[in-house]
Amino acid sequence: MGTDKLAAKAAEAASSGDPFIFMFTVFVLAVFIGFFVVWSVTPALHSPLMSVTNAVSSVIIVGALIAAGPADMGFSKVMGFVAVILASVNIFGGFIVTNRMLAMFKKKPKKVEAAK
Amino acid sequence: MSESLTGFAYLAAAVCFILALRGLSSPESARRGTALGVIGMVIAIGTTLADPTVMSFELIIAGIIIGGLIGTVVALKIEMTALPQLVAAFHSLVGLAAVFVAAAAFFAPEAYGIGVLGNIQAASLIEMSLGAAIGAITFSGSLIAFGKLQGVLSGSPLVFPGQHALNALLGIALVAGVAWLVQTNSETAFWAVVVLSIIIGFTIILPIGGADMPVVVSMLNSYSGWAACGIGFTLSNTALIVTGALVGSSGAILSYIMCKGMNRSIFNVLLGGFGGEVAGPAAAGGGEAKAVKSGSGDDAAFIMKNASKVIIVPGYGMAVAQAQHALREMGDLLKAEGVDVSYAIHPVAGRMPGHMNVLLAEANVPYDEVFELEEINTEFSTADVAFVIGANDVTNPAAKTDPTSAIYGMPILEVENAGTVLFIKRSMASGYAGVDNELFFRDNTMMLFSDAKAMTESIVQALG
């Protein structure tokens, strides 16, 4: 039965206007954007890049919010609650540690530059 | 909020995240970029909370406060030398969150509009199980990476016979598990996929040695992005798909850069078992016959004071000894003597990409004195002194001259071209790759046998 559905889905996807094709298009284009944006990151900032990507990937919290949102308590709500905690640790921790790192990157003081 | 307005809001969040990464192209624009990242996150969370299916907020607020407090305290307290393990720990949390979200979607599909319990659309099941599987691998793999970086687990590669066969079997079992899940909608199948993936995370990362962790951490960074993508497809949420793709490609590019920095393929790293005592006996035999010139802090201070150009090459040893502050002091004193001081960073120095840059920045070394390998490598021939602190393999000329060497072909910092090479090392032991460094025996090399921090401090004293 599952394979029938899979086949139906594939047939559906072949026709235009399928939401999966739309999402997949977004996905592929985003991979290209990511490729170009990340190559332009200066190697000196690769550590902050990791921690900030870590923070933004916690946008997975939107899935957790939907799970934790219903009025009735249930297994999924508990799962959502735990996921909200985990993602929040990452969002706060990731952005703060990125900021701490970036705050340390300073240019040479002006005096020295002028003396050169 | 209407559906199209929600769509626009998620798009705005995604654009903010793209700009957050774009900001990192230079240190000046980086902080503005991070601020945009925070705004994007607030937009994404706010939009979701405005969704009519989200009706009770107690648990959500409690969760954000609990998680936020933990994250804030940890991020403020962490030492910069411990960054690699912190990032690894954060990756494991993203992975675990992906598993929980997938589980929530599996057991309450109505909330996500993907079917009813026990009868979820096949496509959604595939997306969900991809999210859960990659998330679970990220979780357990990152735990191992954390353990190795923190020193809880031994950094040496853990290899056992039949390892690759076992991994292949586990991989096949995982694919079978996903197929089983899609066919039957069975709860058992869902948990089987999760448990198998957790085991795979352990067995893939355990055989990889401690010094290969920069690649592993980058790779897990990538995985956490793909996991987010899988969940994004399940939820039909473009912000999540775009962000996941960004993070996924970011981690992949970082892994590629690290591998290129070692002239090894990603497969070579992943198969594990690299590094160790391979060259041990031969190196010891050859080493005793050759003479090594060693010196004290005073000698090093004298040489550098009379130089006009000094290039400092920091490595993981500097991070372990926490010598960056003493090093900056030494640099300042030399600059006061009129010496031109700069820093050369090898792509794989340290335990995560850009690790050395952060440590030097922490010690107040201006970032425009710090250069990447391609920028500075030709400068060594005009330098009077190359000061190597806690690095070894990345300076070894065998990488260029000896085709039989384990590190042959790896780009190196050409310190041998400098007038004098000063090496701070604890002992004559070979580096991570287990390869003897012929530089130690050259006439223009002086070995400074000591802890990196103690030796740098004694040089500072001699200079002051």
Side-chain angles (χ1 to χ4, degrees):
Chain A
M1 179 178 106
T3 38
D4 293 350
K5 271 193 288 177
L6 202 62
K9 184 82 190 170
E12 214 183 285
S15 65
S16 61
D18 180 270
F20 177 79
I21 292 295
F22 166 70
M23 289 192 291
F24 196 70
T25 310
V26 170
F27 168 72
V28 172
L29 293 179
V31 169
F32 276 92
I33 294 177
F35 183 83
F36 289 110
V37 168
V38 171
W39 272 115
S40 76
V41 172
T42 167
L45 295 181
H46 276 164
S47 287
L49 171 67
M50 283 199 126
S51 61
V52 87
T53 50
N54 196 239
V56 299
S57 63
S58 308
V59 71
I60 203 162
I61 195 172
V62 301
L65 294 175
I66 295 173
D72 311 319
M73 184 53 87
F75 176 74
S76 287
K77 196 172 159 96
V78 176
M79 289 273 117
F81 173 60
V82 180
V84 169
I85 297 180
L86 296 175
S88 301
V89 172
N90 250 326
I91 294 172
F92 283 77
F95 279 122
I96 290 173
V97 89
T98 308
N99 232 4
R100 261 187 76 195
M101 275 189 250
L102 292 175
M104 298 186 307
F105 280 84
K106 291 186 201 83
K107 257 191 136 111
K108 231 183 285 194
K110 280 268 153 44
K111 279 185 300 186
V112 183
E113 245 169 89
K116 254 189 133 179
Chain B
M1 231 193 276
S2 82
E3 202 172 306
S4 52
L5 201 58
T6 311
F8 273 121
Y10 283 132
L11 175 65
V15 170
C16 285
F17 293 146
I18 294 171
L19 292 175
L21 300 199
R22 180 78 188 115
L24 291 169
S25 56
S26 98
E28 281 111 74
S29 57
R31 297 192 75 182
R32 204 168 355 127
T34 315
L36 275 171
V38 176
I39 293 172
M41 190 60 76
V42 171
I43 294 176
I45 293 176
T47 310
T48 313
L49 289 181
D51 190 290
T53 58
V54 180
M55 287 175 291
S56 86
F57 294 94
E58 299 85 358
L59 276 187
I60 291 175
I61 293 169
I64 292 180
I65 291 176
I66 297 171
L69 273 177
I70 300 173
T72 307
V73 170
V74 170
L76 289 177
K77 288 242 161 104
I78 194 85
E79 293 274 346
M80 283 299 145
T81 33
L83 267 182
Q85 46 269 52
L86 177 74
V87 169
F90 279 167
H91 286 158
S92 80
L93 296 185
V94 180
L96 197 57
V99 173
F100 283 133
V101 173
F106 183 77
F107 287 97
E110 302 87 357
Y112 298 86
I114 51 171
V116 289
L117 184 54
N119 190 11
I120 302 172
Q121 299 158 17
S124 298
L125 279 175
I126 295 174
E127 292 154 4
M128 189 190 292
S129 46
L130 276 181
I134 303 173
I137 292 174
T138 312
F139 164 66
S140 54
S142 298
L143 274 187
I144 300 294
F146 171 83
K148 290 200 174 207
L149 289 163
Q150 180 75 25
V152 183
L153 291 171
S154 154
S156 54
L158 189 99
V159 270
F160 51 89
Q163 185 171 350
H164 301 318
L166 175 71
N167 281 340
L169 270 180
L170 285 169
I172 294 168
L174 179 61
V175 174
V178 173
W180 177 24
L181 175 64
V182 173
Q183 291 284 336
T184 62
N185 260 288
S186 131
E187 290 178 24
T188 326
F190 179 84
W191 293 119
V193 166
V194 171
V195 171
L196 268 173
S197 305
I198 289 179
I199 297 173
I200 289 176
F202 286 133
T203 57
I204 286 183
I205 307 299
L206 270 173
I208 305 179
D212 278 341
M213 284 302 132
V215 186
V216 170
V217 174
S218 315
M219 196 185 73
L220 292 166
N221 184 242
S222 180
Y223 283 8
S224 68
W226 303 131
C229 251
I231 302 295
F233 275 103
T234 316
L235 310 187
S236 301
N237 183 313
T238 46
L240 206 41
I241 295 175
V242 171
T243 315
L246 282 180
V247 177
S249 41
S250 164
I253 290 174
L254 289 177
S255 328
Y256 170 77
I257 293 174
M258 294 295 110
C259 287
K260 216 173 119 239
M262 299 189 290
N263 190 36
R264 289 166 58 198
S265 71
I266 185 86
F267 296 106
N268 180 285
V269 174
L270 291 185
L271 288 179
F274 188 78
E277 319 316 320
V278 212
E288 273 165 68
K290 290 184 257 183
V292 168
K293 214 163 52 171
S294 76
S296 68
D298 287 328
D299 301 330
F302 179 78
I303 294 173
M304 285 196 280
K305 204 151 66 173
N306 291 304
S308 61
K309 185 171 173 182
V310 173
I311 300 178
I312 298 170
V313 179
Y316 185 58
M318 178 195 83
V320 174
Q322 298 263 29
Q324 65 269 32
H325 298 278
L327 188 66
R328 196 260 310 151
E329 239 180 289
M330 186 190 93
D332 284 351
L333 287 168
L334 286 174
K335 275 190 270 179
E337 298 274 346
V339 182
D340 179 9
V341 179
S342 47
Y343 298 80
I345 312 276
H346 192 276
V348 294
R351 286 290 187 266
M352 77 185 279
H355 193 194
M356 290 296 127
N357 303 76
V358 171
L359 294 181
L360 291 176
E362 185 198 12
N364 278 321
V365 173
Y367 63 78
D368 34 12
E369 285 177 10
V370 183
F371 299 93
E372 304 303 318
L373 181 132
E374 306 88 53
E375 297 173 318
I376 202 167
N377 229 356
T378 52
E379 300 273 314
F380 282 105
S381 51
T382 61
D384 303 290
V385 178
F387 184 82
V388 185
I389 171 166
N392 180 0
D393 290 335
V394 298
T395 65
N396 194 339
K400 288 191 300 181
T401 54
D402 178 8
T404 62
S405 171
I407 57 169
Y408 182 69
M410 168 170 132
I412 57 156
L413 287 161
E414 293 166 348
V415 297
E416 82 265 23
N417 294 340
T420 307
V421 186
L422 299 174
F423 261 103
I424 300 192
K425 262 190 122 268
R426 280 174 198 276
S427 70
M428 284 302 288
S430 60
Y432 168 66
V435 183
D436 218 8
N437 194 339
E438 57 171 286
L439 272 186
F440 300 165
F441 311 105
R442 292 208 178 167
D443 283 341
N444 64 342
T445 300
M446 183 188 274
M447 302 299 295
L448 307 166
F449 290 116
S450 171
D451 169 73
K453 190 178 179 189
M455 177 53 78
T456 313
E457 279 169 349
S458 93
I459 296 174
V460 167
Q461 244 174 4
L463 283 171

